[in-house]
Amino acid sequence: MSAGDAVATRATHRRNCSRLASACRSTRRLVRASRLVAKVDSAAVQDGFALYLHGFVVTDDGKWTVVQQGMNPDRRQARRYHWLWERAGSFVDAPHTAIEGIPQGSIVNFTDRQAAAARAATVALANGSPEAVVVEVERAERLVLPDHHDVREKDVDLRRLAAALTVAAERGPADFPELLLTPGIGGRTLFALSWWPRWCTGH
């Protein structure tokens, strides 16, 4: 191999490595988006519909759209959630392009624009003491929330709650999307965290 060929080979290798690195970053970004969209509609939006379908479509230039569907077997109804990359933003601040389904009344929706303070408080608690939250849940005999949400201590698996909060505290999520991606953090844990001050004060 001549000196010129060696230089050309090294240049080609560098270009290929750069392309591969770029492809890996893009793949990680898309995987994160897919996971986060699913977690938002299964945990951050608590409307009684369990997700059973997740369709993630990507174009060659990295643009994406998601259509996923949830089912409420008791009502025999489905609800469809639509996402578009250019609307998603932070994934937790009014990110949906549309949600199609029959209105079900009041729901728990952490992605509502008015829920920013609740999201911030939830992240702060997740970065704090797991023991403090669990102790307050154990003390609470009954919690009555607005809009007839009724949560009892027996409805919360304290072991799972403690385990999830321990993992969250160790990971130290910087924001609500990172909290959602924390293993073990689901709808019930988010609900308990968001209302923790009310468990403490009783109102």
Side-chain angles (χ1 to χ4, degrees):
M1 178 183 295
S2 67
D5 290 338
V7 170
T9 299
R10 286 195 294 271
T12 300
H13 177 69
R14 285 194 296 270
R15 285 195 299 271
N16 289 339
C17 287
S18 177
R19 290 169 182 165
L20 180 59
S22 177
C24 288
R25 286 193 297 270
S26 179
T27 299
R28 286 194 296 268
R29 177 179 59 81
L30 293 172
V31 169
R32 181 181 184 276
S34 176
R35 290 181 57 214
L36 196 46
V37 166
K39 200 65 180 284
V40 165
D41 287 339
S42 63
V45 178
Q46 300 177 29
D47 55 4
F49 289 79
L51 292 186
Y52 70 94
L53 175 67
H54 175 80
F56 190 85
V57 181
V58 185
T59 63
D60 290 339
D61 57 356
K63 298 174 182 177
W64 55 266
T65 186
V66 172
V67 177
Q68 49 193 11
Q69 192 155 298
M71 178 67 70
N72 186 318
D74 294 334
R75 293 175 174 167
R76 297 185 178 182
Q77 294 176 353
R79 177 167 288 185
R80 193 174 302 118
Y81 309 83
H82 299 259
W83 293 67
L84 196 60
W85 88 98
E86 62 184 2
R87 172 70 185 268
S90 68
F91 291 85
V92 296
D93 188 14
H96 298 89
T97 302
I99 299 179
E100 299 293 338
I102 299 174
Q104 303 294 315
S106 298
I107 66 171
V108 176
N109 182 8
F110 286 93
T111 69
D112 190 279
R113 292 197 186 281
Q114 298 180 11
R119 293 194 296 268
T122 301
V123 173
L125 284 170
N127 279 283
S129 168
E131 293 81 8
V133 177
V134 172
V135 165
E136 293 302 335
V137 173
E138 286 181 306
R139 287 179 181 172
E141 294 182 356
R142 179 172 181 174
L143 171 67
V144 179
L145 301 176
D147 299 322
H148 311 292
H149 291 295
D150 185 52
V151 178
R152 300 172 187 270
E153 182 272 331
K154 65 182 179 63
D155 295 327
V156 180
D157 187 324
L158 294 177
R159 286 186 179 181
R160 294 183 64 179
L161 177 62
L165 293 178
T166 298
V167 172
E170 290 174 350
R171 290 168 63 107
D175 52 27
F176 198 73
E178 291 305 316
L179 177 61
L180 284 177
L181 293 175
T182 301
I185 297 295
R188 193 173 296 276
T189 301
L190 290 177
F191 192 83
L193 283 175
S194 70
W195 286 100
W196 186 80
R198 294 177 184 264
W199 289 83
C200 297
T201 61
H203 60 276

